[in-house]
Amino acid sequence: MSKPPIRIGIIGSGGIAHAHVRQYKQLPNVEIVAVADVIPGKAKQFVDSLELTNAQAFDDHRSMLDLEFEGVSICTPNVSHHSTTVDALRAGKQVLLEKPMSVTLAEAVDMVQVSKSTGNMLTIGFQPRYDPNMKLVQDIVQSGKLGNIYYVETGGGRRRGMPGGTFISKALAGAGAMADIGCYSLDMALNALGYPRPLTVSAYTSNHFGTNPIHHPEASKFEVEDFGVALVRFENDLVLQFKISWAMHMDSLGSTMFLGSEAGLKVNPFGTGNWSGVWDGKVGNMTLFHDFMGQPTSTPVPVIEHSKDLFFEKVRDFVDAVSEGRPAPIPGEQIMIQQAIIDGVLRSAELRREVSIELPY
């Protein structure tokens, strides 16, 4: 006897919501039953244009949450991630939240606590995790092959790749490149390391490109950072250099690297061109640096070729977790730690000094 379909609601009907719907439509055990958007009429237009014949449209997500359904994709601007997630969890829904998790650390902590208290799942949408090469990086780092890992460098930079609209509004996005693409590179490194506990951050940010009308058509509205760099100290005497850029006069900010007492791992980002150079997609070349017979040598790490649609894998894993009662595929407890780092970066850059990171547990 077949199971009834997993019923899904969607909060927010912008561009990323379209991507969610495309993936849900490929799953035979899913029915989209509701869409909400704060702009009057926008949800109805979304429902009609995508031919979601069984979906009701709402101008208020709280009214939508009164319906009976199991899971919800939250695709709103960053500033409302906290409120919509908390409302959905308290309404008994399992939540797939688009990145970044929140605007502040306090919001992220509250979201995790509500998930725990309600027993409802909160998973964060980091589709690069589903690249098998990301798992390979994690396996190498956690195998002990590198020895004692003492330094990690991650980040990336687009030569030109600045978004506009809600992405550049501090009131709506909270942060710029750090939250938009920096969260991917942080997740790549921190997940491989087992999400260690950060202690302090010393950071610098700027927006020389975004506020220049030569480089951005909405320069007068540009309020967030387009570049940032930080040194993060962790427990166990580990340090991480984190750097990210939406635009720069350079071809690359370099590779991700893990330096250990026995070996080092270098991972290059995939692709070329103005919008490449960050960890929001596939993995490029990888190399293991080590000694052999007392001599420094290097060994290429074969990249796993695949044709997976990583966004689809993310959505399918969420649906399977809801259907099977599994824990969150990418739990909020983990991403709260990277949110603490981003929060620390912004505080440190504003204060122009090192700041401490305080986590509740």
Side-chain angles (χ1 to χ4, degrees):
M1 189 175 188
S2 61
K3 292 183 178 180
I6 299 297
R7 295 166 296 179
I8 296 291
I10 297 175
I11 302 177
S13 60
I16 199 67
H18 286 75
H20 280 249
V21 169
R22 285 195 297 269
Q23 312 314 320
Y24 283 127
K25 282 187 167 184
Q26 295 184 60
L27 296 168
N29 61 327
V30 168
E31 179 184 8
I32 298 174
V33 298
V35 178
D37 196 290
V38 68
I39 299 174
K42 191 177 178 185
K44 180 65 166 61
Q45 183 181 21
F46 182 89
V47 166
D48 291 343
S49 66
L50 295 179
E51 298 180 344
L52 302 176
T53 55
N54 295 323
Q56 298 182 52
F58 295 84
D59 295 336
D60 181 352
H61 73 272
R62 290 176 291 266
S63 298
M64 185 191 90
L65 292 171
D66 288 335
L67 293 182
E68 291 292 329
F69 58 92
E70 290 76 42
V72 60
S73 279
I74 295 181
C75 307
T76 63
N78 303 350
V79 70
S80 60
H81 281 188
H82 169 257
S83 60
T84 50
T85 295
V86 167
D87 288 344
L89 291 169
R90 287 179 174 157
K93 316 306 182 188
Q94 314 300 321
V95 174
L96 168 58
L97 172 65
E98 268 301 323
K99 60 81 188 169
M101 183 174 181
S102 61
V103 171
T104 68
L105 173 58
E107 289 177 344
V109 170
D110 188 49
M111 292 153 77
V112 169
Q113 290 175 338
V114 172
S115 176
K116 287 179 176 293
S117 66
T118 61
N120 296 316
M121 176 189 11
L122 170 59
T123 188
I124 316 299
F126 283 89
Q127 62 269 13
R129 285 252 197 127
Y130 294 91
D131 184 336
N133 292 288
M134 289 290 190
K135 182 63 166 62
L136 178 58
V137 169
Q138 182 183 35
D139 289 344
I140 293 171
V141 170
Q142 296 189 2
S143 70
K145 177 73 175 178
L146 305 185
N148 177 40
I149 299 173
Y150 56 90
Y151 174 81
V152 178
E153 189 169 317
T154 193
R158 298 170 177 162
R159 183 158 187 178
R160 293 292 187 277
M162 292 181 288
T166 62
F167 285 88
I168 63 173
S169 165
K170 192 167 185 179
L172 295 175
M178 285 282 171
D180 177 37
I181 54 177
C183 62
Y184 285 127
S185 53
L186 276 177
D187 186 63
M188 176 200 181
L190 297 177
N191 187 52
L193 293 164
Y195 264 92
R197 188 181 185 90
L199 301 175
T200 64
V201 177
S202 182
Y204 165 85
T205 63
S206 64
N207 58 6
H208 298 301
F209 286 80
T211 56
N212 187 336
I214 294 175
H215 297 298
H216 201 291
E218 298 177 83
S220 63
K221 301 177 182 178
F222 202 100
E223 301 170 335
V224 295
E225 84 288 345
D226 59 37
F227 172 82
V229 62
L231 183 72
V232 186
R233 294 183 180 273
F234 292 83
E235 290 181 336
N236 302 323
D237 207 26
L238 168 70
V239 293
L240 178 146
Q241 185 179 356
F242 171 43
K243 49 192 177 180
I244 202 72
S245 180
W246 268 342
M248 58 183 176
H249 290 305
M250 188 55 58
D251 61 337
S252 171
L253 285 177
S255 310
T256 285
M257 60 183 74
F258 300 85
L259 299 186
S261 58
E262 302 301 321
L265 177 65
K266 182 178 182 180
V267 187
N268 289 317
F270 177 84
T272 59
N274 285 342
W275 283 74
S276 65
V278 295
W279 299 107
D280 54 358
K282 298 179 180 179
V283 170
N285 297 330
M286 295 182 280
T287 307
L288 187 70
F289 293 84
H290 56 105
D291 289 353
F292 180 73
M293 301 294 288
Q295 297 297 317
T297 189
S298 59
T299 302
V301 178
V303 174
I304 301 169
E305 299 296 333
H306 69 90
S307 58
K308 288 186 175 184
D309 180 330
L310 303 183
F311 206 102
F312 172 74
E313 295 297 325
K314 170 181 76 174
V315 172
R316 180 172 65 179
D317 201 19
F318 169 64
V319 170
D320 288 348
V322 173
S323 177
E324 299 164 12
R326 290 195 278 107
I330 302 176
E333 292 91 331
Q334 284 187 349
I335 310 306
M336 177 186 70
I337 293 174
Q338 70 153 257
Q339 193 63 48
I341 293 172
I342 294 173
D343 182 270
V345 166
L346 298 176
R347 287 189 291 117
S348 173
E350 183 178 0
L351 295 171
R352 293 183 170 85
R353 62 172 175 81
E354 185 177 68
V355 298
S356 296
I357 293 177
E358 304 292 339
L359 287 167
Y361 45 82

